[in-house]
Amino acid sequence: MNLKSTALSGVLLAMIATSTQAETIYLTAARMIDTVAGKAVADPAVLITDDRITAVGAQTTLPAPAGARRIDLAGQTILPGLIDMHTHITSRADIGGYRALAITTPASAISGVANAWKTLQAGFTTLRNVGADGYADVALRDSINAGETAGPRLFVSGPAIGATGGHCDDNLLPASYHDTGEGVADGPDAIRRKIREVHKYGADVIKLCATGGVFSKGDSVGGQQLSLEELKAAVDEAHMLGLKVAAHAHGTAGINDALRAGVDTIEHASLADADSFALAKAKGLALDMDIYNDDYILAEGTKNGTLQESIDKERSIGRKQRETFRAAVRAGVTMAFGTDAGVYPHGDNGRQFAKMVEWGMTPILAIQASTVTAAHYLGSLGDGLGAIAPGKFADIIAVAGDPLADVSELERVKFVMKAGVVYRQDGRAVSR
Ligand SMILES: [Zn+2]
C-alpha cells in the first residue's frame, strides 16, 4: 500500500465515522410559527439530532451545544414542513384530455421524480397522493424512502376506486377498445375486494370517487356515483385494514352520503351544504377544498388539451366551490389543505394559501390546515408531522418576513429541511 492510498483510506474511514455519528444542528431564526398554539414566537432556537427535533426554546434559554452545526435563518420565519393532502404527483398539468392516453406508467413515474423535487423545493415535505395509475406513486414513494431520489415523504393511494363510467374510470375511448380504469369496482363486495387489492400493492390510503368530476368524460360533475351502501362497505373495509379514506365528491348528495359513511376527508366539496357542514362537524371530519386551481384550469386548460366539456364543468362549479369554502369556514368546519396539484403545475401548491385567506380564512388557520390539521387527518401516518416540537421529524421550512402578516410569503419558501437534511437554503436548491 503506497502513501497516497493510505492517506485516502484514512479520509474514507473519517467519512464513515462521521456519517455514523449523530449530527446535532442548532437552528435559529427571527420567528417561529407555533402551529399547535396558533401563534408566532420570537427568536426561537431548535435543536435537531439526525432526523428528529430534540429541543425547542428561546435563543436566550436554549444555547448552542458544543460542536453543533449552526444554521442561522436571520430575519426569517420558520414553520413546520407543509403538507398537501391532495396531489397527483405523477401527473402533468400540461397534458390533458386525449393527449393523456399517450402517457405510459413508466413515463408518469419519471414525471413524478421531477415533480417531487419541485414540490419539495416549494416547502412541501409531505404529500398525500390520491390517485395514480400503475402504482407509479407507490414506486416513487419507495424510491424516495430508499434515498434513491429526493422528494417529500409520500403517502399514496395507488389507483382511485370508483364505479364503471364514473370519475375514476377511463371514459375517453369507445367500447371497442375495452378500456377500463384500474380502480373500477361496482357493488360493496367488489369495492371491498378492490380495497384489499390496492392495500396488497402498497397503498397507504384509500381514494374513492363518490361523485362525478371535472376531468371525467361524460359524467355530471355533481352526480352521485357510489351508493351509501358502497361507501359504507369501503369505509368499513379500509378502516379494518388501518387505512384512512379520502372521498372525491363535488355534489351535495354524494358528499353527504360519504360523510354519513364516515370517510375521513371530503375532496373538493364544491356543493357542500348546511347539512354537510353539520355532518362534518358532528363526526369530526375535514374538507379538502382545492380552491386555487380554478384560475389555472380556465386560463390554460384548452391549451393543455383539456376537453371543452371539462372546461365547462369547471366554469359551472369553480366559483361556487369558493363560495362554499367561505360558508364552511364561517360555519366552523375543519379544513385540511389539499390542492389537486397535477391539475395545475407542481411546485405552485403554496399559491392556495392566499386564496384561502381571500375567501375567509385567517392566515394562521390556513397554515394549520397544511400542518397540524393535515397531520391529524393522516392518522398514525401523521405522527411526527405538522409541528416544530421535540420528538417530531425535523421537517422545517423558512420564509422571509412574517407569513401571518402576508401569507403569500409561503409562495416564496427560502429554506427547506426534511428529516434533518437541508434541500434548500438562501432561496436556492441544495443539490443532493
Ligand atoms: Zn384530484
Side-chain angles (χ1 to χ4, degrees), residues 97-115:
Y98 280 90
R99 290 181 205 167
L101 290 175
I103 298 177
T104 61
T105 302
S108 70
I110 293 168
S111 293
V113 172
N115 297 335

Side-chain angles (χ1 to χ4, degrees), residues 12-163:
L12 285 173
L13 280 173
M15 282 170 67
I16 291 162
T18 46
S19 70
T20 52
Q21 262 170 22
E23 188 195 26
T24 296
I25 297 172
Y26 181 74
L27 186 148
T28 50
R31 222 171 283 103
M32 175 178 83
I33 305 299
D34 180 338
T35 51
V36 177
K39 62 181 173 89
V41 178
D43 302 321
V46 182
L47 214 54
I48 295 148
T49 301
D50 293 335
D51 62 344
R52 297 273 179 172
I53 296 165
T54 50
V56 180
Q59 287 164 32
T60 46
T61 54
L62 181 65
R69 177 155 76 97
R70 298 186 70 141
I71 298 176
D72 182 28
L73 303 170
Q76 298 182 39
T77 303
I78 54 170
L79 309 83
L82 302 171
I83 302 171
D84 191 332
M85 296 287 274
H86 189 130
T87 68
H88 300 280
I89 196 67
T90 58
S91 295
R92 284 176 55 169
D94 60 334
I95 300 181
Y98 280 90
R99 290 181 205 167
L101 290 175
I103 298 177
T104 61
T105 302
S108 70
I110 293 168
S111 293
V113 172
N115 297 335
W117 176 250
K118 283 183 202 160
T119 309
L120 182 64
Q121 288 297 313
F124 287 79
T125 51
T126 299
L127 307 179
R128 188 179 69 168
N129 200 66
V130 284
D133 284 344
Y135 296 92
D137 55 357
V138 169
L140 180 60
R141 174 199 65 194
D142 292 349
S143 176
I144 291 169
N145 288 348
E148 184 185 24
T149 184
R153 59 184 86 245
L154 297 186
F155 301 118
V156 306
S157 72
I161 297 172

Side-chain angles (χ1 to χ4, degrees), residues 259-318:
L259 289 166
R260 284 183 195 106
V263 303
D264 298 283
T265 56
I266 297 287
E267 311 304 304
H268 311 298
S270 305
L271 306 177
D273 65 0
D275 287 346
S276 323
F277 301 161
L279 275 166
K281 286 170 74 174
K283 288 174 163 266
L285 307 176
L287 309 183
D288 287 344
M289 298 187 67
D290 53 327
I291 62 166
Y292 160 67
N293 61 47
D294 180 55
D295 295 357
Y296 178 84
I297 295 166
L298 295 183
E300 306 290 330
T302 302
K303 195 174 78 192
N304 298 336
T306 303
L307 303 179
Q308 185 56 43
E309 123 179 26
S310 297
I311 305 277
D312 293 343
K313 285 198 263 189
E314 181 61 33
R315 198 165 278 130
S316 74
I317 58 153

Side-chain angles (χ1 to χ4, degrees), residues 98-382:
Y98 280 90
R99 290 181 205 167
L101 290 175
I103 298 177
T104 61
T105 302
S108 70
I110 293 168
S111 293
V113 172
N115 297 335
W117 176 250
K118 283 183 202 160
T119 309
L120 182 64
Q121 288 297 313
F124 287 79
T125 51
T126 299
L127 307 179
R128 188 179 69 168
N129 200 66
V130 284
D133 284 344
Y135 296 92
D137 55 357
V138 169
L140 180 60
R141 174 199 65 194
D142 292 349
S143 176
I144 291 169
N145 288 348
E148 184 185 24
T149 184
R153 59 184 86 245
L154 297 186
F155 301 118
V156 306
S157 72
I161 297 172
T164 294
H167 178 63
C168 293
D169 196 358
D170 294 339
N171 302 328
L172 290 171
L173 297 171
S176 52
Y177 286 87
H178 305 288
D179 186 20
T180 300
E182 290 172 57
V184 166
D186 297 300
D189 287 349
I191 286 174
R192 284 182 186 272
R193 195 191 173 286
K194 186 59 77 174
I195 286 172
R196 291 174 186 183
E197 185 181 312
V198 298
H199 176 248
K200 172 180 174 179
Y201 293 120
D204 303 299
V205 61
I206 297 300
K207 164 79 179 293
L208 299 178
C209 295
T211 75
V214 168
F215 292 99
S216 36
K217 183 170 178 275
D219 66 358
S220 121
V221 68
Q224 187 165 350
Q225 295 180 343
L226 292 177
S227 66
L228 179 59
E229 189 192 11
E230 289 173 311
L231 290 162
K232 278 182 174 163
V235 171
D236 181 55
E237 189 67 34
H239 286 178
M240 185 180 81
L241 294 171
L243 307 177
K244 297 281 185 191
V245 179
H248 159 110
H250 286 284
T252 315
I255 291 168
N256 292 346
D257 272 355
L259 289 166
R260 284 183 195 106
V263 303
D264 298 283
T265 56
I266 297 287
E267 311 304 304
H268 311 298
S270 305
L271 306 177
D273 65 0
D275 287 346
S276 323
F277 301 161
L279 275 166
K281 286 170 74 174
K283 288 174 163 266
L285 307 176
L287 309 183
D288 287 344
M289 298 187 67
D290 53 327
I291 62 166
Y292 160 67
N293 61 47
D294 180 55
D295 295 357
Y296 178 84
I297 295 166
L298 295 183
E300 306 290 330
T302 302
K303 195 174 78 192
N304 298 336
T306 303
L307 303 179
Q308 185 56 43
E309 123 179 26
S310 297
I311 305 277
D312 293 343
K313 285 198 263 189
E314 181 61 33
R315 198 165 278 130
S316 74
I317 58 153
R319 185 177 173 87
K320 179 73 187 103
Q321 187 194 29
R322 291 173 178 180
E323 289 164 357
T324 300
F325 175 88
R326 184 165 57 194
V329 169
R330 277 193 190 140
V333 178
T334 303
M335 289 287 169
F337 183 97
T339 68
D340 221 355
V343 158
Y344 68 87
H346 295 278
D348 286 350
N349 314 54
R351 293 189 184 188
Q352 186 166 289
F353 288 103
K355 279 283 171 228
M356 291 166 92
V357 171
E358 181 188 335
W359 287 87
M361 221 173 193
T362 59
I364 187 64
L365 265 180
I367 290 168
Q368 286 173 319
S370 178
T371 53
V372 68
T373 305
H376 173 77
Y377 285 95
L378 285 170
S380 59
L381 301 174

Side-chain angles (χ1 to χ4, degrees), residues 391-406:
K392 300 285 185 189
F393 282 110
D395 291 2
I396 298 172
I397 65 163
V399 298
D402 180 2
L404 298 186
D406 177 7

